[in-house]
Amino acid sequence: HEGPRRGETFVTRKITRGLANIQQGLEDCLYMGNIDALRDWGHAKDYVRMQWLMLQQAQPEDFVIATGVQYTVRQFIDWSANELGIPLRWEGSGVDEVGYWGDKAIVRIDPRYFRPTEVETLLGDPSKAKAKLGWVPEITVQEMCRDTAAHDLAQARQHALLKQYGYNVAASAE
């Protein structure tokens, strides 16, 4: 369940917030862990709609709330950068892979962010929800990324303006 209200330390918000801050000159670099990890991300609005449908049933049942589609963290970084007007270029591989904006390194891999018990792939099967409840996600992960990036860019612009006028505002929770 992702979106603009998701906590800042969750990877989708870390990405959109970090890149928005970089775009506004508030931060220099976004440090990431495993950007090849696969995730099944869905918008919180879709998931709440699914929960409501579950509660309308006469008999309680368990349902998997998921999109059934996976994307890599790298793809989410690329979409976010694109939404923020940052033409991102990748060079290198593994822990030496770097995302560049022009000649400036703005995304780096940092081994500190590799999880000791990393789950390489997360994927849910919402077929029961589709069959029994008629539920399918209506908001794509790309639309969710666009909404979240726009939200974080608006916040970054506010922080940049405050900073310009001498107010000390922390740009990142990390």
Side-chain angles (χ1 to χ4, degrees):
H1 58 288
E2 305 295 330
R5 293 183 180 176
R6 186 72 155 152
E8 297 169 8
T9 58
F10 288 90
V11 72
T12 54
R13 283 296 309 288
K14 177 180 176 175
I15 293 165
T16 56
R17 189 173 164 83
L19 290 175
N21 286 341
I22 289 167
Q23 198 251 28
Q24 289 296 301
L26 298 170
E27 292 181 36
D28 294 323
C29 192
L30 173 64
Y31 294 93
M32 298 297 301
N34 182 5
I35 64 173
D36 293 317
L38 290 161
R39 297 294 180 256
D40 181 344
W41 287 303
H43 200 292
K45 290 179 182 180
D46 278 333
Y47 288 11
V48 168
R49 186 170 47 84
M50 163 86 159
Q51 293 165 6
W52 184 85
L53 289 170
M54 289 167 58
L55 292 170
Q56 305 314 302
Q57 304 308 299
Q59 294 291 356
E61 289 185 61
D62 290 332
F63 292 88
V64 173
I65 304 175
T67 67
V69 181
Q70 288 180 308
Y71 300 97
T72 64
V73 174
R74 176 195 315 272
Q75 286 175 290
F76 198 88
I77 293 169
D78 287 337
W79 297 327
S80 299
N82 186 54
E83 289 298 329
L84 295 164
I86 299 171
L88 194 60
R89 179 183 85 258
W90 294 100
E91 291 184 13
S93 63
V95 295
D96 296 321
E97 189 165 14
V98 177
Y100 288 93
W101 180 13
D103 61 351
K104 186 176 178 186
I106 64 165
V107 182
R108 290 188 181 274
I109 308 303
D110 187 331
R112 291 179 301 164
Y113 295 108
F114 282 95
R115 296 177 175 180
T117 56
E118 176 70 62
V119 178
E120 292 289 330
T121 180
L122 292 174
L123 179 64
D125 179 3
S127 58
K128 180 179 174 184
K130 183 177 182 179
K132 289 196 145 199
L133 305 176
W135 180 85
V136 292
E138 295 176 352
I139 303 168
T140 67
V141 69
Q142 292 88 353
E143 291 169 326
M144 182 269 296
C145 178
R146 181 176 48 241
D147 292 347
T148 307
H151 173 269
D152 287 337
L153 180 58
Q155 284 190 327
R157 284 180 173 149
Q158 288 176 348
H159 288 185
L161 185 63
L162 289 169
K163 186 177 177 181
Q164 178 184 347
Y165 287 97
Y167 294 95
N168 189 11
V169 179
S172 177
E174 196 173 342

